[in-house]
Amino acid sequence: MAWWTWFVVGTLLLGIELFAVDAQFFLIFLGASAMMVGLVGALGIDLPNWTQWVLFAVLAVVTIVSFRGQVYAKLRGRPLGKVDSDVDQRVRIPQDLAPGKSMRVEYRGSGWTAMNVGASAIPAGEDARIESVDGLTLNVRHN
C-alpha cells in the first residue's frame, strides 16, 4: 500500500475513536500504528504489502499491550475536578414512602429513584436525608 494510505487509515481510526465510537482507546493505538507504518513508507523504506501488514499488526499489539492500560487509567480512571457528593443532602419525598420501598423523586433537576433504607416510613412532603447513592438510586432515611 502507498504510505499515504496508511496515514488516511490511521486518521480515520483516530477520528472514529475520538468522535463517533467509544472503543476504550483501542482504535487510538490502531490508528497510531497505521500512521507509524505510513511514516516508514514516507521515509523512503519500500516494504512489500505483507511486511507492512505484519509491521502494522506487531505495532498495534505492542502499543495496546504496553500503553493502553496506563493511558486509559490516566484519562478516564479518575474524576475531573471536584466531585460533589450527594451524601447528607436532602430530597423531598412527594408521597408516603414505606421502609424498603422505592419511588421516583425529583433531585437536582432530574428524576431519581429513592429507596427508603430506614426502619420508619417517610411521610409525604417531608425531606429525607440521602444516606448513599447506588447508580441512579438514592438510598434515603427519615430523620
Side-chain angles (χ1 to χ4, degrees):
M1 287 178 24
W3 65 268
W4 58 267
T5 307
W6 286 105
F7 277 105
V8 170
V9 169
T11 303
L12 287 173
L13 288 168
L14 292 173
I16 290 169
E17 172 75 59
L18 294 175
F19 299 112
V21 176
D22 182 13
Q24 299 179 346
F25 290 101
F26 286 103
L27 296 180
I28 294 287
F29 292 105
L30 292 176
S33 298
M35 289 182 153
M36 284 188 267
V37 173
L39 183 63
V40 168
L43 292 174
I45 302 171
D46 191 26
L47 299 174
N49 282 343
W50 70 268
T51 308
Q52 292 177 28
W53 282 102
V54 169
L55 179 61
F56 169 70
V58 168
L59 286 171
V61 169
V62 168
T63 57
I64 287 172
V65 169
S66 300
F67 302 113
R68 184 199 159 269
Q70 298 165 0
V71 172
Y72 190 74
K74 284 187 181 190
L75 294 177
R76 299 276 178 113
R78 59 187 156 111
L80 301 173
K82 181 180 178 243
V83 175
D84 217 68
S85 177
D86 294 309
V87 175
D88 290 331
Q89 300 296 316
R90 304 275 179 206
V91 62
R92 177 124 357 216
I93 304 298
Q95 302 169 1
D96 290 340
L97 184 58
K101 299 295 181 182
S102 64
M103 68 179 335
R104 297 292 295 171
V105 295
E106 186 77 16
Y107 178 66
R108 291 193 175 182
S110 63
W112 293 71
T113 300
M115 169 74 75
N116 185 353
V117 294
S120 61
I122 304 171
E126 296 258 338
D127 284 345
R129 184 180 65 82
I130 299 173
E131 194 167 274
S132 64
V133 179
D134 183 23
L136 294 176
T137 300
L138 303 171
N139 296 316
V140 299
R141 183 181 302 269
H142 190 258
N143 292 334

